[in-house]
Amino acid sequence: MKYFCPVPLTFAVIRLNPAAMVQHFSDPDLTARAQAIETKKYLVFLAFAIGLPIPGNTWFNFDVNLIATTLPHPDPALGITPDMVLPIYPNTDNARGGEPFRSLEPFPFPNCYFWPDRSVTVRIRRSDDMYDDCQAVHASSTEYTRMKYRFQDDYIRAMKNRPPINPVEIVHTDGDRGTSASRPPASKHTPPLASSVRGDVERAATPRHIDSTRQDEGHRLNKTEEANSFSSDYEEDDALEIANLDIFCVKQGVGAEVVPLVDLWNVLTDHLTADTIPSPAEFLKECEAIKA
């Protein structure tokens, strides 16, 4: 079956399109430099769509997982270890054990892994021929949820593996003398930043109009006017937040140019083999090149 937009929970092949990303600038020099960037095709998993797809959209925003064929390199600074992966069946190579990720249709490559830190947002260009879903490889929402829970454990382990952070020295300015001085150390029973942050939060959480030192009626706000003003402010804030979500993806030209623009194909074996799947790191390098 053909659809006007890509289908979530589907494996696909993508390729960055640098020339299309800068086309709207109408700059021949910029276009030439974009065309000079070498790009490859990458294996991804379309996790979910961002916003509601509309047939007339120029592109569709998706959160995708870049698929790797190797274990991640150890990264002590981030707490990453090589066993933080989830193999995709028929690959069952997993030092931690457990079930591999299983697709609904047979997955054609025997050497693929999900990594926990390889999720990116991309813009998928609208296809004139629509998207043929008949030969695509899908996954169930249950399997995707299981993967997310699996990686939650890895995130927790990574945080525990990270080296301890050195205490931050907070510097404040003495307004009377115009000099800088270090804030006295906190109590040994309180983390260096905890007391400061707690105080800031408490002050931020206290309505500004409340002043415990002023009990005089002349300094109190009218409660009815205050409540109406408070409610009105929050209603305006909520309306702005909802508008900024852009759930219909109508703001396709606002800040979108920094998001990678890619072409997509659903038939995996038409574009890749088990030996030609590039590393996710190469896709990230291509994205950095186009931003430069």
Side-chain angles (χ1 to χ4, degrees), residues 169-242:
E169 182 181 22
I170 301 177
V171 177
H172 68 90
T173 301
D174 188 333
D176 295 333
R177 295 188 296 274
T179 60
S180 297
S182 297
R183 181 174 296 176
S187 166
K188 64 180 181 180
H189 299 293
T190 306
L193 292 180
S195 58
S196 173
V197 172
R198 184 172 62 250
D200 293 341
V201 171
E202 289 173 351
R203 286 189 293 274
T206 304
R208 295 180 180 178
H209 64 274
I210 296 179
D211 186 348
S212 59
T213 63
R214 296 184 176 182
Q215 300 297 329
D216 186 13
E217 290 292 335
H219 293 285
R220 293 183 179 178
L221 294 174
N222 182 278
K223 291 184 178 181
T224 302
E225 293 179 355
E226 175 191 347
N228 291 339
S229 175
F230 184 82
S231 175
S232 176
D233 290 344
Y234 269 77
E235 287 174 357
E236 291 179 4
D237 291 343
D238 290 343
L240 286 174
E241 288 183 6
I242 293 173

Side-chain angles (χ1 to χ4, degrees), residues 34-252:
Q35 291 174 337
I37 297 175
E38 295 185 7
T39 60
K40 297 180 180 180
K41 294 180 179 179
Y42 296 88
L43 181 62
V44 300
F45 179 73
L46 307 183
F48 56 86
I50 301 174
L52 298 178
I54 296 177
N57 283 0
T58 308
W59 59 76
F60 305 98
N61 296 307
F62 268 80
D63 186 272
V64 305
N65 296 95
L66 298 166
I67 305 300
T69 59
T70 62
L71 302 178
H73 294 292
D75 190 337
L78 296 178
I80 299 296
T81 57
D83 64 338
M84 292 181 178
V85 296
L86 180 61
I88 304 171
Y89 190 83
N91 184 6
T92 58
D93 182 17
N94 188 355
R96 295 169 56 195
E99 283 292 314
F101 186 95
R102 293 180 180 269
S103 55
L104 295 177
E105 295 84 11
F107 188 72
F109 308 122
N111 57 339
C112 293
Y113 299 91
F114 282 107
W115 288 5
D117 61 340
R118 285 297 178 263
S119 174
V120 296
T121 298
V122 299
R123 295 176 294 152
I124 300 173
R125 298 179 72 201
R126 179 166 55 88
S127 174
D128 294 334
D129 296 331
M130 303 184 71
Y131 298 92
D132 190 350
D133 193 54
C134 295
Q135 301 183 59
V137 179
H138 307 83
S140 68
S141 57
T142 301
E143 194 71 357
Y144 175 69
T145 302
R146 186 176 69 85
M147 178 186 73
K148 300 295 287 185
Y149 276 110
R150 168 69 174 264
F151 283 148
Q152 280 186 359
D153 294 337
D154 286 331
Y155 294 139
I156 295 173
R157 283 204 304 139
M159 293 179 64
K160 292 180 179 180
N161 291 342
R162 293 175 186 174
I165 301 176
N166 294 328
V168 179
E169 182 181 22
I170 301 177
V171 177
H172 68 90
T173 301
D174 188 333
D176 295 333
R177 295 188 296 274
T179 60
S180 297
S182 297
R183 181 174 296 176
S187 166
K188 64 180 181 180
H189 299 293
T190 306
L193 292 180
S195 58
S196 173
V197 172
R198 184 172 62 250
D200 293 341
V201 171
E202 289 173 351
R203 286 189 293 274
T206 304
R208 295 180 180 178
H209 64 274
I210 296 179
D211 186 348
S212 59
T213 63
R214 296 184 176 182
Q215 300 297 329
D216 186 13
E217 290 292 335
H219 293 285
R220 293 183 179 178
L221 294 174
N222 182 278
K223 291 184 178 181
T224 302
E225 293 179 355
E226 175 191 347
N228 291 339
S229 175
F230 184 82
S231 175
S232 176
D233 290 344
Y234 269 77
E235 287 174 357
E236 291 179 4
D237 291 343
D238 290 343
L240 286 174
E241 288 183 6
I242 293 173
N244 288 332
L245 286 176
D246 189 25
I247 60 174
F248 295 103
C249 293
V250 295
K251 299 179 181 179
Q252 293 223 319

